[in-house]
């Protein structure tokens, strides 16, 4: 009888810890790993970072220059269930590792902004951006121009010549912003 009582106590403790871990990972803070070199020199391949998720959970708009973790599958809508099944703890049990869908990028444009690339330079609303964080000057490509729609952001990697970002995948819906990088 005493064994069952102790086992029940342990199971209750483990259950509470599991639920608390899910809550923290979905709404407060979650670790991510940088995959690739698109954020060089600011962040490096395989570097661990932590994303603050409270802003995402409340639907707040990230600031210009914030480093954000995004769900790159912009052609589908996200819901709360996605946050649950993509939690690292749940992934351990399901064996479903979807890290490659999460990109780490920098916010360049917010809703209503006009983003232009001319002669390898980035302009927001007609003003050239001063970007001391980029790895190197962008290779000159044909001029491009975008207007960021409502409830979306425009993101780019710091290694502009080696980054799959809004220039390729399109605008990022706000519900695809998984969190804002807070700690290294």
């Amino acid at each position: 009888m005493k064994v069952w009582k102790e086992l029940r106590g342990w199971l209750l403790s483990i259950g509470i810890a599991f639920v608390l871990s899910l809550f923290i990972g979905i709404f407060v803070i979650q670790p991510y790993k940088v995959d690739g070199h698109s954020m060089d020199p600011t962040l490096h391949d395989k570097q661990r970072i932590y994303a603050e998720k409270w802003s995402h959970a409340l639907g707040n708009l990230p600031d210009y220059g914030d480093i954000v973790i995004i769900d790159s599958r912009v052609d589908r809508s996200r819901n709360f269930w996605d946050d649950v099944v993509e939690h690292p703890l749940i992934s351990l049990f399901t064996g479903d590792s979807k890290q490659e869908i999460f990109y780490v990028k920098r916010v360049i444009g917010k809703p209503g902004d006009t983003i232009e690339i001319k002669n390898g330079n980035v302009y927001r609303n007609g003003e050239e951006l001063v970007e001391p964080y980029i790895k190197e000057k962008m290779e000159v490509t044909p001029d491009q121009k975008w207007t960021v729609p409502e409830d979306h952001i425009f993101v780019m990697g710091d290694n502009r010549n080696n980054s799959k970002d809004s220039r390729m995948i399109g605008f990022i819906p706000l519900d695809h912003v998984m969190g804002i990088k807070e700690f290294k």
Side-chain angles (χ1 to χ4, degrees):
M1 206 53 142
K2 186 177 180 180
V3 172
W4 289 113
K5 189 174 185 177
E6 187 160 333
L7 183 61
R8 192 176 76 211
W10 276 101
L11 289 175
L12 180 62
S13 296
I14 290 169
I16 290 170
F18 183 79
V19 170
L20 188 58
S21 172
L22 281 178
F23 178 82
I24 290 170
I26 292 171
F27 296 110
V28 182
I29 192 166
Q30 184 171 341
Y32 288 92
K33 190 182 338 178
V34 177
D35 186 22
H37 297 278
S38 70
M39 285 301 290
D40 286 346
T42 308
L43 301 172
H44 306 286
D45 187 35
K46 307 294 184 229
Q47 181 177 348
R48 278 282 196 201
I49 59 172
Y50 295 90
E52 175 268 314
K53 299 187 82 173
W54 196 247
S55 297
H56 160 67
L58 295 176
N60 293 344
L61 190 64
D63 289 328
Y64 295 121
D66 279 352
I67 295 175
V68 294
I69 292 81
I70 61 165
D71 179 342
S72 65
R73 301 169 297 174
V74 297
D75 55 342
R76 66 185 279 284
S77 54
R78 283 192 60 85
N79 57 43
F80 177 74
W81 187 245
D82 290 321
D83 289 333
V84 173
V85 298
E86 292 164 358
H87 187 281
L89 196 55
I90 299 296
S91 296
L92 284 175
F93 294 110
T94 64
D96 192 15
S97 176
K98 295 183 177 179
Q99 275 306 104
E100 67 276 358
I101 63 169
F102 298 118
Y103 292 177
V104 180
K105 302 295 175 192
R106 190 176 298 273
V107 176
I108 301 299
K110 295 183 187 183
D113 287 340
T114 298
I115 306 297
E116 293 179 83
I117 296 178
K118 296 189 280 190
N119 299 320
N121 297 313
V122 180
Y123 295 80
R124 181 175 47 233
N125 301 324
E127 205 170 303
E128 184 177 353
L129 299 183
V130 176
E131 301 179 289
Y133 44 78
I134 64 171
K135 181 175 182 177
E136 60 193 7
K137 188 167 172 68
M138 259 190 302
E139 294 171 1
V140 176
T141 58
D143 292 354
Q144 297 173 292
K145 186 175 183 176
W146 302 268
T147 300
V148 183
E150 194 66 31
D151 297 322
H152 289 74
I153 58 173
F154 189 93
V155 298
M156 295 176 80
D158 290 355
N159 185 359
R160 302 286 163 78
N161 296 320
N162 185 24
S163 177
K164 189 173 181 183
D165 50 40
S166 286
R167 295 172 290 170
M168 292 88 183
I169 64 173
F171 304 109
I172 310 303
L174 289 177
D175 66 353
H176 282 55
V177 176
M178 306 309 301
I180 300 170
K181 179 196 154 300
E182 286 295 321
F183 313 101
K184 283 187 179 182

